[in-house]
Amino acid sequence: MREVTSSNLTGPEETGLNVGHLATTGNAKAAGRKLSWFDDTLLLGIMAVLAGCGLIYEYLLSHYAGRILGALEAAIYTMIGLMIVSMGIGAFAARKIRCAFTGFAVLELSVALCGSLAILITAAVIGFGQQLPLIIASTLGLPPDLLPEGGFIGLFQHLSEYLPYFWGVLLGLMIGMEIPLIARVRQALCDEHLMHNAGTIYGADYIGAGVGAAIWVSFMLALDIQLAAAITASFNLLAGFIFIWRFWSKIRHVVWLLVGHFIASGILLMLAWHGPTWEQNFNNLLYKDEVIYAKSTRFQQLTFTERLRGNGLEPVYSLYINGRLQFSSQDEHIYHTFLVHPTLEASARHNKVLIIGGGDGLGLKQVLKWQPEQVTLMDLDRDLLELFTSHDANMPKRLSQTLLRLNGDALNDPRVEVVVDDAFNGVDKLLKRGDRYDAIIVDLPDPSHPDLNKLYSDLFYKKLKELLSADGALTVQSTSPYHAPKAFISVGKTLAAAGFNVNQYHHNVPSFGEWGWSIATRSGKSAKQRLSELEQLTVEDEWLTPGLIKGSFEFPGNFYHDQALIKPNIIGSMQLYQYHQQAWSENQNISLF
């Protein structure tokens, strides 16, 4: 993690580890003094703890940027890269600190404060930036359709999105100073030149970072991000307290530093208690509608909004996952009827159906209208499934009741088998069971992350082909053919590469805009041919008609003009992920909030 700093520890003249230099710091040593076992163990233990904290700060900041602003993968890579470079610069800057003992105590106080406040301050600035046009319009009495945008307001909003990276650089600079300062402290406690000083400290650093990564994955990933930041910062502060206690006589202005640590302790307690609520309130400013419930799961950030309409109309409830709209109660039925009913109309039988994703149960509700004998629904996020399965005590009752009404309590239907598993590996278990399905519906989020990209790969579709009956049909949600045409076409070409006969169709869903699906069959007539013979829907629906289904297969004359240049998403190629990222970055002015 810190290889770039190793050059600062190559020799005593370069690092300040020689006796002559250390004497200038005011840390005089008694003749013959050796580094005690207790002090060495204490310092190496502190180094290990701080390494774990540093790694967690990287994850906290990158996940905040990804979950709130989108593009999680890019945020993680960018944050880690920036922090590593900053740590290297910080290691060089540590040479300028005269007293290693005082410098280290100040450093841990600073890291604790910055690490605990970074998320909250970032949320506040970004939220204020989103509300600034409304504040100005309200002050000047401007109508809603004349909100001031662009200019300094647009610049402020754009720059505020980079705040997590600013904190990453600042924390990286300070974290990078820790190893050189600990090395100088170890040497200052010993008359003799310490052999393997750098290697010993790096060993503690690497082990601590590994433990920090394990703590993040197993524990902190499911915590509220502001609470996780406060807990992490408390370990920096604890390290500072222990260091001050043990080396009291060697630290300048020690009383003031101790007071600062006590004040910071009070701040951390306040942040641990109230910080998650404050942070969520700031995050809520990103959404046009009122946020009434938010939950961080192990895998994603769930945000539910409510819009009151008056005139006896029901409120509109929406679910956002990592800042992206998942559904709106106002028009989710349009999306799900187009996802489900063409699939089942094109299937010869409907006794056994598999749904990949769709943990909200909204697509499942439409499937159950066909009176299947058994439906298997596979989703990764247990917490999401529970929100749509039963009343959550922490969720507003009106929202919980609405969610169960929207999905018709489908997830509790005795015909439904819910499998909590990663789809890529989970379908292998279905294959081992010898399962075969009359229809398969893939309702996954867009391939905006490499882990999702593999669920749109030729290998995954080949697995689904083995699960599909010879006369069945399979449909995949395929992103927007208008905003991401290459990604949309690539999904169809990937299904074809897996051996399917593929057609694609689209329809306007007001909350999303123009949206598309890919429908495939294993053998016999294509799905489009089967549906062209449709005169009346098997299942009645208020929106969907045979004419709308047939018309949905029509595209503009030049839509597939560049089809030959678009590649299928072969496993490991990341092709679809790249198409998707390119398309939505080019259309970044489209707001999903």
PDB file of all heavy atoms in Angstrom, residues 130-141:
ATOM      1  N   GLN A 130     -26.942  21.734  -4.580  1.00  0.00           N
ATOM      2  CA  GLN A 130     -28.154  21.314  -5.276  1.00  0.00           C
ATOM      3  C   GLN A 130     -29.343  22.210  -4.946  1.00  0.00           C
ATOM      4  O   GLN A 130     -30.239  22.399  -5.766  1.00  0.00           O
ATOM      5  CB  GLN A 130     -28.484  19.864  -4.907  1.00  0.00           C
ATOM      6  CG  GLN A 130     -27.469  18.855  -5.402  1.00  0.00           C
ATOM      7  CD  GLN A 130     -27.390  18.808  -6.915  1.00  0.00           C
ATOM      8  OE1 GLN A 130     -28.402  18.866  -7.599  1.00  0.00           O
ATOM      9  NE2 GLN A 130     -26.174  18.719  -7.438  1.00  0.00           N
ATOM     10  N   GLN A 131     -29.351  22.752  -3.725  1.00  0.00           N
ATOM     11  CA  GLN A 131     -30.468  23.593  -3.299  1.00  0.00           C
ATOM     12  C   GLN A 131     -30.281  25.063  -3.652  1.00  0.00           C
ATOM     13  O   GLN A 131     -31.229  25.840  -3.579  1.00  0.00           O
ATOM     14  CB  GLN A 131     -30.659  23.459  -1.780  1.00  0.00           C
ATOM     15  CG  GLN A 131     -31.185  22.114  -1.335  1.00  0.00           C
ATOM     16  CD  GLN A 131     -32.567  21.830  -1.871  1.00  0.00           C
ATOM     17  OE1 GLN A 131     -33.499  22.610  -1.692  1.00  0.00           O
ATOM     18  NE2 GLN A 131     -32.722  20.696  -2.563  1.00  0.00           N
ATOM     19  N   LEU A 132     -29.067  25.443  -4.030  1.00  0.00           N
ATOM     20  CA  LEU A 132     -28.777  26.850  -4.288  1.00  0.00           C
ATOM     21  C   LEU A 132     -29.686  27.466  -5.352  1.00  0.00           C
ATOM     22  O   LEU A 132     -30.183  28.588  -5.155  1.00  0.00           O
ATOM     23  CB  LEU A 132     -27.306  27.005  -4.686  1.00  0.00           C
ATOM     24  CG  LEU A 132     -26.779  28.437  -4.806  1.00  0.00           C
ATOM     25  CD1 LEU A 132     -27.002  29.209  -3.510  1.00  0.00           C
ATOM     26  CD2 LEU A 132     -25.294  28.432  -5.179  1.00  0.00           C
ATOM     27  N   PRO A 133     -29.956  26.788  -6.488  1.00  0.00           N
ATOM     28  CA  PRO A 133     -30.880  27.387  -7.458  1.00  0.00           C
ATOM     29  C   PRO A 133     -32.260  27.647  -6.875  1.00  0.00           C
ATOM     30  O   PRO A 133     -32.882  28.679  -7.170  1.00  0.00           O
ATOM     31  CB  PRO A 133     -30.940  26.336  -8.576  1.00  0.00           C
ATOM     32  CG  PRO A 133     -29.654  25.588  -8.460  1.00  0.00           C
ATOM     33  CD  PRO A 133     -29.365  25.535  -6.994  1.00  0.00           C
ATOM     34  N   LEU A 134     -32.752  26.719  -6.043  1.00  0.00           N
ATOM     35  CA  LEU A 134     -34.070  26.907  -5.427  1.00  0.00           C
ATOM     36  C   LEU A 134     -34.060  28.074  -4.441  1.00  0.00           C
ATOM     37  O   LEU A 134     -35.025  28.834  -4.345  1.00  0.00           O
ATOM     38  CB  LEU A 134     -34.491  25.618  -4.719  1.00  0.00           C
ATOM     39  CG  LEU A 134     -34.728  24.397  -5.612  1.00  0.00           C
ATOM     40  CD1 LEU A 134     -35.021  23.167  -4.764  1.00  0.00           C
ATOM     41  CD2 LEU A 134     -35.886  24.657  -6.575  1.00  0.00           C
ATOM     42  N   ILE A 135     -32.960  28.198  -3.696  1.00  0.00           N
ATOM     43  CA  ILE A 135     -32.854  29.293  -2.735  1.00  0.00           C
ATOM     44  C   ILE A 135     -32.863  30.644  -3.449  1.00  0.00           C
ATOM     45  O   ILE A 135     -33.575  31.576  -3.056  1.00  0.00           O
ATOM     46  CB  ILE A 135     -31.567  29.134  -1.893  1.00  0.00           C
ATOM     47  CG1 ILE A 135     -31.643  27.874  -1.038  1.00  0.00           C
ATOM     48  CG2 ILE A 135     -31.345  30.366  -1.018  1.00  0.00           C
ATOM     49  CD1 ILE A 135     -30.340  27.544  -0.322  1.00  0.00           C
ATOM     50  N   ILE A 136     -32.083  30.739  -4.532  1.00  0.00           N
ATOM     51  CA  ILE A 136     -32.019  32.000  -5.282  1.00  0.00           C
ATOM     52  C   ILE A 136     -33.373  32.294  -5.934  1.00  0.00           C
ATOM     53  O   ILE A 136     -33.862  33.443  -5.906  1.00  0.00           O
ATOM     54  CB  ILE A 136     -30.905  31.926  -6.346  1.00  0.00           C
ATOM     55  CG1 ILE A 136     -29.541  31.815  -5.672  1.00  0.00           C
ATOM     56  CG2 ILE A 136     -30.947  33.145  -7.258  1.00  0.00           C
ATOM     57  CD1 ILE A 136     -28.388  31.626  -6.634  1.00  0.00           C
ATOM     58  N   ALA A 137     -34.003  31.261  -6.536  1.00  0.00           N
ATOM     59  CA  ALA A 137     -35.297  31.462  -7.185  1.00  0.00           C
ATOM     60  C   ALA A 137     -36.345  31.908  -6.182  1.00  0.00           C
ATOM     61  O   ALA A 137     -37.175  32.787  -6.468  1.00  0.00           O
ATOM     62  CB  ALA A 137     -35.732  30.165  -7.874  1.00  0.00           C
ATOM     63  N   SER A 138     -36.330  31.302  -4.985  1.00  0.00           N
ATOM     64  CA  SER A 138     -37.298  31.683  -3.955  1.00  0.00           C
ATOM     65  C   SER A 138     -37.059  33.109  -3.471  1.00  0.00           C
ATOM     66  O   SER A 138     -38.005  33.880  -3.263  1.00  0.00           O
ATOM     67  CB  SER A 138     -37.198  30.706  -2.779  1.00  0.00           C
ATOM     68  OG  SER A 138     -38.053  31.087  -1.729  1.00  0.00           O
ATOM     69  N   THR A 139     -35.794  33.481  -3.335  1.00  0.00           N
ATOM     70  CA  THR A 139     -35.466  34.827  -2.867  1.00  0.00           C
ATOM     71  C   THR A 139     -35.882  35.891  -3.884  1.00  0.00           C
ATOM     72  O   THR A 139     -36.410  36.950  -3.518  1.00  0.00           O
ATOM     73  CB  THR A 139     -33.952  34.940  -2.600  1.00  0.00           C
ATOM     74  OG1 THR A 139     -33.568  33.949  -1.642  1.00  0.00           O
ATOM     75  CG2 THR A 139     -33.600  36.326  -2.069  1.00  0.00           C
ATOM     76  N   LEU A 140     -35.673  35.604  -5.167  1.00  0.00           N
ATOM     77  CA  LEU A 140     -35.976  36.577  -6.228  1.00  0.00           C
ATOM     78  C   LEU A 140     -37.391  36.432  -6.779  1.00  0.00           C
ATOM     79  O   LEU A 140     -37.786  37.210  -7.659  1.00  0.00           O
ATOM     80  CB  LEU A 140     -34.967  36.427  -7.372  1.00  0.00           C
ATOM     81  CG  LEU A 140     -33.488  36.636  -7.002  1.00  0.00           C
ATOM     82  CD1 LEU A 140     -32.608  36.413  -8.224  1.00  0.00           C
ATOM     83  CD2 LEU A 140     -33.280  38.038  -6.439  1.00  0.00           C
ATOM     84  N   GLY A 141     -38.136  35.416  -6.297  1.00  0.00           N
ATOM     85  CA  GLY A 141     -39.498  35.222  -6.771  1.00  0.00           C
ATOM     86  C   GLY A 141     -39.586  34.696  -8.188  1.00  0.00           C
ATOM     87  O   GLY A 141     -40.542  34.998  -8.914  1.00  0.00           O
TER      88      GLY A 141
END
